[in-house]
Amino acid sequence: AQSVTQLGSHVSVSEGALVLLRCNYSSSVPPYLFWYVQYPNQGLQLLLKYTTGATLVKGINGFEAEFKKSETSFHLTKPSAHMSDAAEYFCAVSDRASNQGGKLIFGQGTELSVKP
Amino acid sequence: SQTIHQWPATLVQPVGSPLSLECTVEGTSNPNLYWYRQAAGRGLQLLFYSVGIGQISSEVPQNLSASRPQDRQFILSSKKLLLSDSGFYLCAWSVGQGLNEKLFFGSGTQLSVL
């Protein structure tokens, strides 16, 4: 069975500092990997996803994530945090063998706070 | 363009009362539809998904049920709410398959059962 673990339920950084949100997954086969962001009072939005090919994936708002198969990780990074990045971030996996790609398994979420 | 409507945004219900959360999608046809729930301190968990009218698959045993009376309408229900049903409920829809499948979420309903 697949599972996702996000290390740290709450991360706080200063504006301009590096953002690093950690995600590790467990899967018997290489999965599809996703990062979603949820701003207050809004639905989840897709930041980026990895399906195949280049292991460094660039997403919206300057975020990127690198798929490391040997470490079973898909950490999300952004070189310089902005106040508007404050939100909750979810890592998710789906079974590439499944015909239902919307059947995602989510991590517990990491709330990012950005200090001025 | 496609939009997803989910209501209400917040709901407070007493234990034992019924529940009905509605989700509708506009601007697309024959979408896959999903209900997810986030309980406090836990990740999002898939509850139900539907690939067509009247076709419902349940992912976890629970006190809830889902129905899809129309192509773009997905309803989450309960006859008698439990305290453990409290959580944040998200409806989602997707189109495409495999690499091309994209998932879009509604804004969610925060349900508090007291």
Side-chain angles (χ1 to χ4, degrees), chain A:
Chain A
Q2 295 176 314
S3 65
V4 178
T5 302
Q6 289 183 241
L7 301 177
S9 59
H10 193 108
V11 171
S12 182
V13 301
S14 298
E15 191 173 18
L18 171 71
V19 176
L20 171 60
L21 304 182
R22 299 178 186 273
C23 172
N24 288 88
Y25 69 90
S26 173
S27 178
S28 57
V29 296
Y32 296 148
L33 296 159
F34 307 80
W35 274 100
Y36 283 85
V37 60
Q38 185 177 29
Y39 298 104
N41 302 316
Q42 295 186 32
L44 273 70
Q45 301 173 35
L46 180 65
L47 269 180
L48 51 80
K49 68 177 182 180
Y50 169 79
T51 54
T52 187
T55 55
L56 181 62
V57 182
K58 295 185 184 298
I60 61 172
N61 302 336
F63 284 92
E64 61 183 35
E66 185 171 11
F67 168 56
K68 292 187 176 180
K69 184 179 178 180
S70 61
E71 299 178 7
T72 59
S73 69
F74 192 56
H75 301 329
L76 182 71
T77 60
K78 182 174 181 177
S80 177
H82 192 273
M83 296 296 291
S84 61
D85 294 326
E88 187 149 22
Y89 293 79
F90 294 92
C91 182
V93 303
S94 73
D95 183 356
R96 64 176 58 226
S98 169
N99 290 324
Q100 300 303 324
K103 292 173 61 178
L104 300 180
I105 298 171
F106 284 87
Q108 306 92 316
T110 298
E111 185 176 355
L112 175 66
S113 300
V114 182
K115 299 175 292 185

